[in-house]
Amino acid sequence: GEDVEQSLFLSVREGDSSVINCTYTDSSSTYLYWYKQEPGAGLQLLTYIFSNMDMKQDQRLTVLLNKKDKHLSLRIADTQTGDSAIYFCAEIGNEKLTFGTGTRLTIIP
Amino acid sequence: KAGVTQTPRYLIKTRGQQVTLSCSPISGHRSVSWYQQTPGQGLQFLFEYFSETQRNKGNFPGRFSGRQFSNSRSEMNVSTLELGDSALYLCASSFSGPGVLTFGAGSRLTVL
């Protein structure tokens, strides 16, 4: 199967770090992606990581990849109200992008 | 640089009707993908077009079809609409392939 799994909800206090987790299925995926969807909008690419990397940092975003466990995570440092959105991880398999179920991130003031 | 434009943004149809959705990709992007987003099923891949050819297809019935024109604009069509076709239909374009996608805002279809 091609089920990419994520927790549905995450609540974080403003200023804290958010960690969004994802378990993917296709061990042959060359790239793994994180997309963000704000209300009423399409998806926006946040970052991606090549499968031979363990970590990638991009400003407040840190992506960790554990290939052995097929586990991907996205850490958002100093979470702000503007980070409220649904976050999707995605993998390439059979030349198409398969998205996870999405994690709704809520920021607590 | 203009983004991905989808029209119409909202539409309401009744069961049995058909609908055509349009997508204008970013200038220079030759790949256009379509996704269906629903609360129950999440994001499901419909199909991808590249240089007017369907390059990949998801697991949807034949009622769902698409095409791409020489200017890379794409349309998708759903015939004999069912209640379960109510969804946000998202179009995304990329220069070459399915990974780094730029999405439009979507067309929200309601079937009554």
Side-chain angles (χ1 to χ4, degrees):
Chain A
E2 297 180 342
D3 290 338
V4 180
E5 297 191 351
Q6 304 177 234
S7 299
L8 290 180
F9 302 99
L10 176 66
S11 295
V12 173
R13 291 205 176 274
E14 188 174 1
D16 286 351
S17 292
S18 305
V19 180
I20 302 169
N21 295 302
C22 169
T23 302
Y24 62 97
T25 58
D26 191 341
S27 57
S28 65
S29 292
T30 51
Y31 287 92
L32 294 143
Y33 303 82
W34 284 103
Y35 281 81
K36 173 184 180 183
Q37 186 178 33
E38 297 182 6
L43 279 71
Q44 171 194 359
L45 177 66
L46 283 177
T47 186
Y48 59 93
I49 187 168
F50 189 48
S51 60
N52 70 351
M53 298 171 65
D54 297 324
M55 185 184 86
K56 179 180 179 181
Q57 187 156 3
D58 184 358
Q59 299 182 333
R60 293 192 298 122
L61 305 178
T62 303
V63 178
L64 295 178
L65 174 60
N66 181 330
K67 283 196 72 175
K68 175 176 166 290
D69 295 336
K70 296 182 190 171
H71 185 263
L72 183 72
S73 68
L74 174 70
R75 177 178 179 269
I76 305 172
D78 187 24
T79 308
Q80 303 298 308
T81 55
D83 295 324
S84 291
I86 302 175
Y87 291 81
F88 294 89
C89 63
E91 62 175 354
I92 291 275
N94 295 323
E95 298 187 358
K96 69 179 196 283
L97 205 56
T98 299
F99 286 90
T101 48
T103 300
R104 183 180 295 275
L105 176 63
T106 301
I107 313 305
I108 305 166
Chain B
K1 194 175 188 182
V4 177
T5 303
Q6 291 189 246
T7 57
R9 286 294 313 277
Y10 303 91
L11 66 167
I12 300 174
K13 294 285 187 178
T14 56
R15 279 180 299 174
Q17 287 187 311
Q18 73 160 8
V19 67
T20 299
L21 308 178
S22 179
C23 173
S24 294
I26 287 176
S27 178
H29 284 191
R30 295 161 64 189
S31 169
V32 174
S33 299
W34 289 89
Y35 286 82
Q36 181 197 65
Q37 187 177 25
T38 59
Q41 298 297 317
L43 278 158
Q44 300 286 315
F45 172 75
L46 281 156
F47 24 66
E48 184 212 354
Y49 287 86
F50 184 86
S51 293
E52 302 179 66
T53 301
Q54 187 181 85
R55 194 157 68 169
N56 212 336
K57 189 177 187 305
N59 297 322
F60 278 81
R63 300 185 296 110
F64 292 80
S65 63
R67 59 179 175 168
Q68 186 180 32
F69 301 95
S70 58
N71 62 358
S72 292
R73 190 177 70 86
S74 178
E75 289 181 346
M76 68 162 283
N77 184 277
V78 188
S79 62
T80 319
L81 285 166
E82 300 176 0
L83 295 179
D85 297 332
S86 294
L88 181 67
Y89 289 88
L90 291 165
C91 165
S93 75
S94 72
F95 180 72
S96 61
V100 179
L101 301 178
T102 302
F103 280 83
S107 293
R108 184 166 294 281
L109 170 65
T110 302
V111 182
L112 303 176

